[in-house]
Amino acid sequence: MTENKERIEEINENRELEYEQSKLLIEDKVVAKIARIAIKNIDGILEMKGNIADSIGSFFSGGREEASTAGVSVEVGEKEAKVNLDVIIEYGKNATRIFNEIKKVVKANIKEMTGLDVVTINVNVVDVMTRKEYEETKAKKESESREEERRY
């Protein structure tokens, strides 16, 4: 009986786990996607990302993972995040108002969904277009994309 008790104690000693603190890890791409979705409905933002030829349609579509974070780069720590956005704004809209709205919406959404405090938001306005110019460019790019798909 004593022999069995000693064996059980020996087994239990080998099975002890070190104390570990549980962690919630949130990947950069998740924070980038939250930021991108958060600003979709801000008046005055036509598109995200600098190269309109590469990005038309990706702003409004799901699908490809790179499209879901295009125009957004982030740095995520354990408690804080930095967000950088590249946007194309609509001609005639107030860039300062758009910037303030972006800060408000992005901070609130990221905090609510992840618990992270957004300490920095940088918005780089890479282009300005009229709504008509944007729609024409978007339609042309979509047409070219459909034509390319038909070839393959």
Side-chain angles (χ1 to χ4, degrees):
M1 179 89 166
T2 310
E3 190 174 302
N4 282 344
K5 187 176 179 184
E6 287 174 8
R7 266 183 72 207
I8 291 171
E9 285 176 5
E10 183 180 319
I11 290 170
N12 285 339
E13 280 179 26
N14 293 334
R15 291 177 129 185
E16 280 187 49
L17 296 175
E18 290 183 33
Y19 171 74
E20 263 189 50
Q21 186 174 358
S22 300
K23 289 183 181 182
L24 171 64
L25 301 174
I26 299 171
E27 292 195 21
D28 291 5
K29 67 182 177 183
V30 172
V31 174
K33 192 171 184 179
I34 292 168
R36 186 171 171 82
I37 292 169
I39 69 167
K40 273 188 175 183
N41 295 320
I42 294 177
D43 181 44
I45 297 177
L46 294 174
E47 181 66 78
M48 301 260 328
K49 198 173 175 181
N51 185 345
I52 193 153
D54 292 339
S55 62
I56 290 291
S58 67
F59 185 62
F60 300 104
S61 67
R64 299 187 335 248
E65 189 171 309
E66 67 237 19
S68 67
T69 59
V72 184
S73 64
V74 298
E75 293 178 42
V76 178
E78 286 187 31
K79 296 179 182 180
E80 299 175 333
K82 287 179 169 181
V83 179
N84 299 301
L85 303 162
D86 292 335
V87 299
I88 298 170
I89 64 171
E90 185 176 353
Y91 179 82
K93 301 293 182 170
N94 184 299
T96 302
R97 185 204 49 81
I98 293 169
F99 175 63
N100 289 331
E101 183 78 12
I102 288 171
K103 288 191 307 183
K104 182 178 122 188
V105 171
V106 169
K107 282 182 179 187
N109 277 264
I110 290 174
K111 180 68 173 178
E112 175 67 27
M113 294 182 73
T114 67
L116 295 169
D117 290 314
V118 179
V119 294
T120 304
I121 296 179
N122 297 309
V123 176
N124 182 27
V125 178
V126 297
D127 202 354
V128 61
M129 301 175 90
T130 64
R131 174 73 58 182
K132 182 179 178 187
E133 178 184 16
Y134 172 74
E135 294 298 334
E136 288 170 355
T137 305
K138 179 180 172 185
K140 181 179 177 187
K141 181 62 182 166
E142 288 172 351
S143 174
E144 289 171 358
S145 179
R146 283 191 300 271
E147 184 63 36
E148 193 171 305
E149 286 176 8
R150 279 186 249 167
R151 282 189 238 152
Y152 297 103

